[in-house]
Amino acid sequence: MNNFLSFQIHGGADHGGGIAESVASLLAFFEGASAQGPGGLFSAIMPGIAGMDNIHPLLVHFPIAFLLTFFALDLVGTWAKKPQWRSVAGWLLYLGTIAAVFTVTAGFIAANTVAHGDNVHDIMERHEHIGISVLTLAAVLSLWRLKSGNLILGGANTLFLILAGLLCILLSLGADLGGLMVYKYGVAVDAVVIQDNSHEHANHEHAH
C-alpha cells in the first residue's frame, strides 16, 4: 500500500513500472491484508480510524459542516426570498442536530477515557460546556423549525437567524478549543519522533 500511495504522491517518478507496478502493489496489498482477517484488512485500509482511541475527532466534522452550511443557506435564502433554499437548510439543521447528539456523546466518552493533565482539564470542561450548548441550541432550533412547518417568517425568523448565528459562533469556539487541546497539548496523540532527513530530502529534490 505504501508503494501505491508513493506512486500517487510522486507521480510515478520513483517507480520504473509506472501504473502497472502501482496496480500490482495495490493488489499485493489487498491480498496480504485479506490474509490477516477482517480486523487486519480494516486496519490496513483505514489506519487513521483504527489508530484512534475514540471516534469523537471523526464525528466532530459532521455537525460543523451541516450546521455552518445550514446557517449560510438559510441566511441567503431569507435575503434572496428562496423558500426552496431554506427548506434544504432546514434538513441540514436536522442532520446537524442528529450528528451533534452522537458527537457530544462520543466527546463525553472520550473525556473519561483519554489521559490529560491539569493544564488541559479546564479547557476540556469549557469544550464540553460549549458542546452541550451547541447541541441544546440546535435541538431548540430544530423543534422550532419543525413546529413552524419548516419555514419561519417575519420577526420570528429574524430571532431564529440571530440564534442560528450564535450557534455558529459557539460551534467555532468549541472547535477552536478542540484544536488547542490536540495541536498544542497533544491530547489523544501518540507522539512520533521526527528524524532529520533534510540531507536525504535535498538529494531527493535534486533527483527530480
Side-chain angles (χ1 to χ4, degrees):
M1 186 62 171
N2 289 336
N3 290 338
F4 176 73
L5 292 176
S6 178
F7 170 78
Q8 296 296 324
I9 294 172
H10 295 293
D14 297 333
H15 301 274
I19 295 178
E21 182 179 339
S22 177
V23 172
S25 298
L26 181 62
L27 293 175
F29 156 74
F30 279 115
E31 183 179 357
S34 300
Q36 301 176 21
L41 180 60
F42 178 79
S43 297
I45 296 177
M46 307 290 285
I49 297 178
M52 287 181 174
D53 292 330
N54 61 83
I55 61 172
H56 177 68
L58 176 67
L59 297 177
V60 73
H61 298 85
F62 293 96
I64 292 175
F66 284 137
L67 295 175
L68 290 180
T69 306
F70 140 71
F71 175 63
L73 191 58
D74 207 39
L75 187 63
V76 174
T78 297
W79 176 77
K81 297 181 180 180
K82 298 286 187 180
Q84 299 89 347
W85 294 9
R86 297 191 61 203
S87 179
V88 173
W91 284 105
L92 291 173
L93 171 62
Y94 306 145
L95 289 173
T97 302
I98 294 172
V101 171
F102 290 102
T103 302
V104 170
T105 302
F108 276 111
I109 296 174
N112 293 324
T113 57
V114 173
H116 59 277
D118 293 337
N119 58 340
V120 176
H121 187 72
D122 290 340
I123 299 174
M124 187 173 289
E125 283 197 338
R126 277 187 287 152
H127 182 70
E128 290 177 355
H129 295 159
I130 291 177
I132 295 172
S133 299
V134 166
L135 175 57
T136 302
L137 190 51
V140 168
L141 292 176
S142 293
L143 291 174
W144 187 359
R145 193 74 166 238
L146 285 169
K147 188 176 180 180
S148 302
N150 203 35
L151 193 62
I152 303 171
L153 301 174
N157 187 57
T158 301
L159 177 59
F160 182 89
L161 289 174
I162 291 173
L163 293 177
L166 176 61
L167 170 67
C168 292
I169 292 173
L170 290 173
L171 196 65
S172 301
L173 293 174
D176 180 71
L177 291 178
L180 178 66
M181 287 188 289
V182 172
Y183 295 110
K184 183 174 181 178
Y185 295 101
V187 175
V189 174
D190 292 329
V192 177
V193 178
I194 301 177
Q195 298 179 351
D196 185 9
N197 297 322
S198 57
H199 179 69
E200 295 181 7
H201 180 72
N203 291 336
H204 179 76
E205 291 294 332
H206 182 70
H208 284 282

